[in-house]
Amino acid sequence: MYHQPVLKNRRTLLERAEKFISDIYFTDCNLRGRLYGDSCPLESIDSFLSSKRITFLEASQQIFAPHKVGDTFGPTWWTSWFKVTLKIPESWRGKEVHLLWESDGEAMVWRDEQPVQGLTKEGEKTSYILSDCLKDDEPHSLTLYVEVACNGLFGAGQGTFIAAPDPNRKFSVQKAELVVLNRDVRELLTDFEMLIDIVKELGEAEQRGYQALFTVNEMVNLCDPSDPSTFPKARSLAHNFFSQKNGESQHTAHAMGHCHIDSAWLWPYEETIRKCGRSWVTVIRLMEKNPDFVFTCSQAQQFQWVKSWYPGLFSQIQLYVKKGQFIPVGGTWVEMDGNLPSGESMVRQFLEGQRFFNQEFGILCKEFWLPDTFGYSSQLPQIMQGCGISNFLTQKLSWNLVNTFPHNTFFWEGLDGSKVLTHFPPGNSYEMKGKVEDLVKTVKNNKDKGRANHSAVLFGFGDGGGGPTQLMLDRLQRVQDTDGLPKVQTSSPQKLFSQLQSDSALLCTWTGELFLELHNGTYTTQAQIKRGNRQCETLLHDVEIASSLALCRDRTFQYPVEKLQELWRLLLLNQFHDVIPGSCIELVVEDALGYYEEIRSDGATLLLDACGVLGSKGDSTGVFNSLPWTRHEVVQIEDGAGKPGLALVNVPSMGFCPVKDTQPVAPVSVTVQADGTVVMENGILHAVINKDGTLASLCLINTNREAISEGCPGNQFVMFDDVPLYWDAWDVMDYHLQTRKPVLEVVQPAHVLSSDPLRGRVSFTLRISDKSTITQEIVMDAMCPYIKFNTEVKWAESHKFLKVEFPVRVHNPNATYEIQFGHLQRPTHRNTSWDWARFEVWGHKWADLSEHNFGVALLNDCKYGHSVHKNTMTLSLLRAPKAPDVNADMGTHHFTYAIMPHSGSFQDASVIQCAYNLNFPLRSIQCVPDIEPWSAFSVSTAAVILETIKQAEDRKGALVLRLYESHGSHVAATLCTALPVREAWHCDLLERRDPAQPAHMTSEGITINFSPFQIISLLLIL
């Protein structure tokens, strides 16, 4: 009698099973080689090449020429449209028939003038199902169109995928034919794959892994690839294995389809629209076949694009949203950067996003969804809560270079004490493939074992789109409850977070910012984008305030609702997390800068219209102040003959006045000394400027306190070598600090440009290299507590980093940085790895280093990268990466920063107000000569800043005001207004009135109590 040998060699059994389903080895006799049955060529393929992305209607009317499979087309970013005629053989009745299409460009199949299927080889989608089981009454002859983009899922990088695109790349269709898919082979292959992966992932230490090994080996014994009648027995073995259930305590993986689509990155905005179409139409096809399949999808902007480009698809999406399968998440206009947008911009991301989702789908998102952003501001929890969101999902901190973040599920507490339930999927990915590896990782990596027993598994190709596949769904379906693996349930964000919330008693709390220890170069890369963002945020702030005040002064004034929404949406789009950080290709940079120009141009027109109403359309010169405090500043004016001059004006808060020149308490003096140094003085500051433009001394006159370190001049430009490990536009590494070289070569030494009692100007030029120079104007104004440095850099470097340093006479283990609606402290030492990892940090309009009763603030008008180490304050100015944009930052740059020594705390010294003043210039308006100075709003305490005034979204003639506490204190404030307010109510950030919270109105104004860094919105009914 013959006995089968007992095989004990794990490797041979495992490799035998792997080869049995390999698509490389033994395909003549293994199972994989039987996946497709008969094939049949297409009747005809014709093509037409377009340099533009055009509609189906336009494409279908073009003249198509015969095309041979294998012929190349291009170049990059063009589109090749194919007209495909096909005839399915009668003999394929009862069979599953596919159009097999393999191309290195992303493709969309169109049928009956509608998009029906996305195809991309990189996204493992290479076939369009023509029939699941061919019947006589189905069409056997068809004409389809296939739109092929001349780019892959990740653009067209030359060499590496993040390199600048190759502009001349050619593309081809490698396969285009009709095939019969053997569904029984496909199902059996999935069984084999899952069992093999269980063997590999559970390893030799787990008994369950060996059970999978012997099961899969026995399946190979039973299965004859050439005899389908042997398949059921093999499948039965697999089914028995998968059906052996877990215990009740096993971890649960909440599986959700996902398709992260960067709104622009290695491809332009316009290509993203097609990526959304290709990815989402494929999701709809999967939903038709899999009624339990749930797909999560963020970014209202992308829904808006699909609505206007693919209206039929959008209607289908609305249907599946109603069914609860297609779930809009996130609540924001785009997945924005988490560091650089202003507080008001972040509010508008949610306001625009939530309103869009509510209007189009009747829902408001309950979770913020930001899986791929380079750090998270500590004001986000409060902003989320104010927009009706109490849950947050991301995973990016798994990319930390230095420290491992200690949690996956926890409460995140923000700057003001607001808390949100936060989940980082422990698989450390937002684009899993439904594989055993993903499930094992999810359990193993969970850092909150014993505290949280549920995790998200987000599956689907991402970044460049693609999304889930049927194979991913089949994999997960096999192991819904299989001993040795976590339980898998089709889920939704709402189900996941409800479960986490109900089990949250033992969860830990993380307080403060979620700082990503990587990608710190994105605070500086693409300086023109950073500048465009800051300037446009400022402009829209001023337009809204001027328009709101114009509305109150003249009820016939039309508040520009539609135009402002359009401009805000452009600004919000550019805050996408690969655009404002500068980690995108040159085409995207060009688009972004074009959008900023549009905002500047249209915004200037809107401002002019509103200011015309404020000034009663006169022809004298007046000044408009959009900030909530009186400003005593020097402004540039023109006299009657059009000759430029200066005036010191006193402008009321959030209002205007005619130009009436006042005399400064002390005039500005500029004196050249015998040794060539220049002394500048204005009664507040005394500065000594060296011939090379550095600051030898900066003295605060009233306390006789020197700000600059002895022997170390301020305003010292320094260059660093800037070669990261890989992510060029993204990263600056700690070792760059070891390559510091001061910029020392003087082209033109410091000399006096002008000396006026109201303004002194000193200029100098330095050479960085034979390709790059710095020219700077140092400006001291009368009555101004800071010195400005107006800077022009001609920049043509490669992998260099330019910064400016101010070593100051202050000692403190912590420095303070402005963030959205507040500020936070970070260490100036490098004691621990957590401190060291913050060698380069982000901040907004100011950073401050103070000790008791004295400090120095560094202000800026468009920079975000900072560093304060020991007593040296550094502002990051320019980088020169070469990927993904080979011309990043090349050209001429203009920016301003300022140094402000102060006595007392930075709060008491009005550092916050001065930084606002630097960023929000007083605006010249035309007014009637006898116009009275007018102030619309003021606030009784400097701690509270009135940040925003706008017309309410849903109520004409009502205003929404946004205020925040800026000092970090409990304070009662009175908001005074000249406007006729009938009612005042508290509202949330989505402008929903709180009927339980009328604002307290007195004869003095509206009184409001603030806690530290609290944001409060008011609805004023006039």
Side-chain angles (χ1 to χ4, degrees):
M1 184 178 165
Y2 177 72
H3 290 282
Q4 282 196 335
V6 179
L7 296 170
K8 292 188 174 179
N9 188 325
R10 180 177 181 274
R11 180 188 160 185
T12 57
L13 297 194
L14 176 57
E15 214 168 296
R16 178 197 189 197
E18 286 179 315
K19 294 292 192 291
F20 192 68
I21 62 167
S22 168
D23 56 1
I24 299 167
Y25 303 104
F26 310 117
T27 53
D28 62 320
C29 60
N30 74 3
L31 187 63
R32 176 77 61 179
R34 300 292 192 280
L35 180 58
Y36 294 113
D38 295 341
S39 66
C40 159
L42 303 176
E43 294 272 287
S44 68
I45 307 184
D46 301 293
S47 72
F48 147 74
L49 198 59
S50 168
S51 62
K52 292 194 170 70
R53 298 172 183 91
I54 58 176
T55 63
F56 172 82
L57 199 64
E58 198 181 331
S60 63
Q61 289 164 358
Q62 303 302 316
I63 296 163
F64 285 73
H67 183 91
K68 206 161 85 233
V69 169
D71 286 355
T72 60
F73 51 88
T76 312
W77 310 125
W78 285 44
T79 302
S80 189
W81 284 83
F82 293 87
K83 186 178 184 178
V84 174
T85 56
L86 55 90
K87 190 171 182 194
I88 304 170
E90 296 291 337
S91 58
W92 288 8
R93 189 186 298 110
K95 303 203 168 153
E96 184 171 337
V97 182
H98 289 212
L99 165 65
L100 197 60
W101 183 279
E102 287 187 17
S103 147
D104 42 12
E106 290 188 85
M108 172 80 98
V109 182
W110 292 78
R111 182 174 180 173
D112 302 329
E113 301 183 11
Q114 290 300 319
V116 289
Q117 174 72 49
L119 297 174
T120 157
K121 205 155 75 173
E122 297 157 287
E124 293 177 10
K125 296 181 189 71
T126 54
S127 68
Y128 167 54
I129 303 175
L130 293 163
S131 175
D132 289 318
C133 178
L134 187 66
K135 298 183 184 70
D136 287 340
D137 60 354
E138 286 186 86
H140 284 47
S141 295
L142 281 174
T143 298
L144 302 173
Y145 288 84
V146 184
E147 174 190 15
V148 179
C150 295
N151 53 265
L153 268 185
F154 289 89
Q158 197 158 12
T160 68
F161 89 104
I162 63 160
D166 174 357
N168 301 311
R169 184 182 289 188
K170 293 290 188 188
F171 294 78
S172 67
V173 176
Q174 297 96 36
K175 217 177 250 184
E177 61 186 6
L178 295 182
V179 293
V180 170
L181 180 104
N182 293 319
R183 179 55 60 184
D184 52 355
V185 174
R186 174 69 274 165
E187 298 296 343
L188 190 51
L189 283 169
T190 306
D191 292 340
F192 269 106
E193 180 207 320
M194 294 302 279
L195 283 161
I196 288 166
D197 282 357
I198 288 170
V199 178
K200 283 158 49 174
E201 291 301 323
L202 296 188
E204 296 186 52
E206 295 285 337
Q207 165 167 300
R208 191 69 174 144
Y210 276 98
Q211 289 172 350
L213 178 67
F214 291 124
T215 300
V216 82
N217 185 60
E218 194 54 32
M219 285 167 67
V220 179
N221 290 337
L222 287 173
C223 181
D224 175 358
S226 64
D227 181 3
S229 71
T230 63
F231 296 176
K233 279 186 183 168
R235 289 218 63 199
S236 173
L237 279 179
H239 176 74
N240 290 342
F241 181 91
F242 294 137
S243 300
Q244 291 173 326
K245 294 196 184 316
N246 269 300
E248 282 183 25
S249 68
Q250 183 57 278
H251 193 85
T252 300
H254 290 249
M256 300 173 233
H258 190 241
C259 177
H260 184 63
I261 303 178
D262 287 321
S263 288
W265 178 30
L266 303 174
W267 52 87
Y269 284 127
E270 208 176 65
E271 191 55 45
T272 307
I273 301 172
R274 299 201 296 188
K275 283 177 176 287
C276 295
R278 291 187 284 259
S279 303
W280 297 357
V281 79
T282 306
V283 164
I284 297 295
R285 292 294 85 79
L286 288 172
M287 286 178 177
E288 288 166 354
K289 286 193 159 60
N290 303 270
D292 295 334
F293 169 46
V294 168
F295 178 73
T296 56
C297 192
S298 65
Q299 308 195 68
Q301 170 70 83
Q302 294 184 3
F303 283 90
Q304 173 67 50
W305 280 333
V306 167
K307 185 184 177 186
S308 57
W309 279 53
Y310 305 102
L313 171 59
F314 189 75
S315 299
Q316 291 177 296
I317 289 169
Q318 285 177 310
L319 179 70
Y320 281 98
V321 169
K322 268 202 187 101
K323 288 183 178 180
Q325 285 183 261
F326 201 112
I327 301 180
V329 293
T332 49
W333 189 246
V334 295
E335 286 188 13
M336 74 280 196
D337 181 84
N339 302 323
L340 308 182
S342 69
E344 188 58 32
S345 287
M346 285 188 166
V347 170
R348 298 307 175 89
Q349 287 284 356
F350 286 99
L351 183 68
E352 287 297 326
Q354 290 281 56
R355 284 177 65 80
F356 180 88
F357 288 139
N358 197 30
Q359 282 159 7
E360 299 296 341
F361 306 114
I363 63 153
L364 288 172
C365 300
K366 293 290 181 200
E367 65 296 302
F368 184 33
W369 198 269
L370 204 56
D372 191 30
T373 289
F374 314 146
Y376 304 89
S377 163
S378 60
Q379 270 293 27
L380 274 168
Q382 184 180 187
I383 293 170
M384 282 183 235
Q385 290 281 17
C387 297
I389 287 173
S390 48
N391 304 313
F392 175 45
L393 182 141
T394 183
Q395 61 82 50
K396 199 64 179 186
L397 264 64
S398 66
W399 284 48
N400 271 6
L401 198 63
V402 182
N403 300 285
T404 301
F405 192 79
H407 301 295
N408 286 98
T409 304
F410 59 100
F411 286 104
W412 178 23
E413 183 180 298
L415 194 63
D416 73 313
S418 296
K419 280 187 185 181
V420 289
L421 178 58
T422 301
H423 181 65
F424 296 177
N428 297 339
S429 172
Y430 48 76
E431 47 167 342
M432 296 182 178
K433 307 298 182 284
K435 292 190 163 190
V436 173
E437 172 195 8
D438 300 330
L439 302 174
V440 171
K441 244 191 199 173
T442 293
V443 178
K444 268 191 184 163
N445 291 355
N446 179 19
K447 299 187 197 77
D448 296 281
K449 293 181 180 78
R451 283 193 287 262
N453 207 23
H454 294 259
S455 297
V457 167
L458 307 178
F459 64 94
F461 287 94
D463 288 336
T469 64
Q470 184 63 52
L471 179 55
M472 294 175 196
L473 291 167
D474 292 345
R475 286 169 182 153
L476 291 166
Q477 186 273 329
R478 295 288 189 285
V479 292
Q480 286 178 27
D481 190 358
T482 295
D483 187 20
L485 297 177
K487 292 178 182 173
V488 177
Q489 68 175 57
T490 298
S491 191
S492 65
Q494 192 266 326
K495 279 184 197 163
L496 168 70
F497 280 108
S498 297
Q499 193 64 59
L500 292 173
Q501 186 67 55
S502 66
D503 301 341
S504 63
L506 297 175
L507 293 181
C508 301
T509 297
W510 178 272
T511 300
E513 67 182 328
L514 295 173
F515 184 87
L516 178 65
E517 298 173 358
L518 195 72
H519 294 358
N520 331 45
T522 59
Y523 316 147
T524 306
T525 306
Q526 299 288 10
Q528 301 286 21
I529 287 181
K530 311 286 195 273
R531 182 170 186 249
N533 178 71
R534 183 80 65 84
Q535 289 183 345
C536 290
E537 285 178 334
T538 302
L539 177 59
L540 292 183
H541 166 277
D542 286 6
V543 168
E544 286 185 331
I545 289 175
S547 299
S548 298
L549 302 193
L551 190 65
C552 299
R553 300 271 295 187
D554 176 359
R555 280 309 172 103
T556 64
F557 175 78
Q558 290 293 308
Y559 189 92
V561 177
E562 285 82 13
K563 194 49 154 175
L564 270 170
Q565 182 184 62
E566 184 189 313
L567 299 184
W568 263 112
R569 285 181 170 184
L570 284 179
L571 179 62
L572 300 178
L573 173 58
N574 275 352
Q575 289 171 351
F576 178 74
H577 65 250
D578 278 307
V579 180
I580 193 175
S583 48
C584 50
I585 60 170
E586 190 170 12
L587 275 177
V588 178
V589 176
E590 288 165 3
D591 282 348
L593 296 180
Y595 290 158
Y596 290 133
E597 274 315 304
E598 202 176 315
I599 297 167
R600 284 187 184 109
S601 164
D602 290 355
T605 304
L606 296 181
L607 190 61
L608 203 63
D609 291 348
C611 287
V613 170
L614 294 180
S616 306
K617 300 187 169 58
D619 53 10
S620 288
T621 305
V623 184
F624 170 62
N625 172 18
S626 67
L627 296 177
W629 45 80
T630 302
R631 291 168 70 175
H632 203 182
E633 285 177 38
V634 176
V635 293
Q636 198 143 0
I637 55 161
E638 285 183 359
D639 64 16
K643 194 165 154 257
L646 298 170
L648 180 63
V649 293
N650 204 353
V651 194
S653 63
M654 286 192 167
F656 55 83
C657 66
V659 170
K660 287 206 169 79
D661 198 3
T662 59
Q663 290 308 304
V665 175
V668 177
S669 69
V670 184
T671 321
V672 182
Q673 306 294 297
D675 61 0
T677 60
V678 181
V679 174
M680 305 179 86
E681 199 169 304
N682 70 352
I684 302 169
L685 301 173
H686 172 96
V688 180
I689 296 154
N690 291 322
K691 285 190 280 190
D692 62 359
T694 56
L695 266 182
S697 165
L698 181 61
C699 191
L700 196 58
I701 291 171
N702 67 350
T703 57
N704 194 27
R705 184 75 191 257
E706 175 59 56
I708 302 297
S709 277
E710 203 171 348
C712 299
N715 201 38
Q716 177 67 65
F717 289 100
V718 283
M719 286 281 279
F720 298 85
D721 295 339
D722 185 18
V723 185
L725 297 174
Y726 178 69
W727 296 99
D728 199 356
W730 294 257
D731 286 348
V732 56
M733 310 311 296
D734 52 3
Y735 53 73
H736 87 285
L737 295 168
Q738 298 182 306
T739 66
R740 177 184 178 277
K741 291 185 190 72
V743 178
L744 300 173
E745 189 183 342
V746 179
V747 176
Q748 188 175 27
H751 58 283
V752 179
L753 271 186
S754 66
S755 180
D756 181 279
L758 294 183
R759 175 173 289 167
R761 288 153 64 231
V762 171
S763 178
F764 65 94
T765 301
L766 303 177
R767 181 171 284 114
I768 296 170
S769 69
D770 57 354
K771 299 185 288 253
S772 305
T773 57
I774 300 167
T775 299
Q776 196 166 60
E777 256 186 41
I778 302 176
V779 180
M780 183 180 275
D781 278 356
M783 309 289 290
C784 185
Y786 53 82
I787 302 184
K788 280 192 295 196
F789 300 85
N790 294 338
T791 315
E792 178 184 275
V793 181
K794 292 188 168 134
W795 183 247
E797 299 301 307
S798 179
H799 290 115
K800 298 289 181 191
F801 201 149
L802 176 68
K803 306 185 187 186
V804 65
E805 294 176 345
F806 289 89
V808 296
R809 291 195 195 183
V810 178
H811 179 73
N812 193 319
N814 291 298
T816 308
Y817 302 84
E818 189 195 37
I819 67 162
Q820 298 83 358
F821 299 125
H823 58 262
L824 51 71
Q825 294 196 321
R826 300 187 183 108
T828 59
H829 56 76
R830 293 174 182 163
N831 282 356
T832 70
S833 59
W834 294 87
D835 304 327
W836 173 252
R838 296 172 195 225
F839 58 87
E840 176 84 3
V841 298
W842 63 273
H844 282 202
K845 299 185 288 290
W846 58 269
D848 183 86
L849 185 63
S850 289
E851 56 193 38
H852 176 64
N853 225 19
F854 181 76
V856 179
L858 188 53
L859 322 178
N860 74 82
D861 75 343
C862 62
K863 298 297 170 190
Y864 295 90
H866 295 261
S867 152
V868 181
H869 183 227
K870 296 187 175 171
N871 68 324
T872 300
M873 305 180 76
T874 305
L875 188 64
S876 297
L877 302 176
L878 293 169
R879 293 186 71 218
K882 298 299 165 195
D885 174 6
V886 76
N887 296 309
D889 282 315
M890 297 299 98
T892 302
H893 297 267
H894 295 97
F895 50 85
T896 296
Y897 54 87
I899 184 100
M900 178 178 170
H902 59 84
S903 57
S905 68
F906 69 84
Q907 290 99 326
D908 294 341
S910 299
V911 163
I912 300 168
Q913 282 76 7
C914 287
Y916 269 92
N917 293 350
L918 183 69
N919 279 269
F920 292 80
L922 290 169
R923 303 214 183 245
S924 181
I925 65 170
Q926 296 302 107
C927 61
V928 292
D930 54 350
I931 200 162
E932 285 294 314
W934 184 70
S935 164
F937 288 97
S938 61
V939 186
S940 63
T941 165
V944 171
I945 291 178
L946 173 50
E947 175 73 18
T948 301
I949 304 173
K950 64 183 285 289
Q951 181 172 275
E953 292 291 322
D954 294 319
R955 194 157 183 168
K956 266 192 169 177
L959 298 181
V960 168
L961 276 59
R962 189 131 35 247
L963 307 96
Y964 73 97
E965 197 290 319
S966 68
H967 286 180
S969 60
H970 283 87
V971 66
T974 302
L975 173 70
C976 308
T977 179
L979 307 185
V981 177
R982 277 196 299 123
E983 295 173 45
W985 296 87
H986 284 264
C987 62
D988 67 4
L989 298 179
L990 300 183
E991 305 185 6
R992 296 177 296 188
R993 181 173 72 96
D994 183 347
Q997 263 203 299
H1000 184 56
M1001 290 171 70
T1002 68
S1003 57
E1004 304 292 307
I1006 300 166
T1007 57
I1008 320 162
N1009 293 316
F1010 286 84
S1011 54
F1013 306 116
Q1014 186 180 4
I1015 306 161
I1016 288 180
S1017 298
L1018 297 176
L1019 177 67
L1020 303 189
I1021 295 159
L1022 306 174

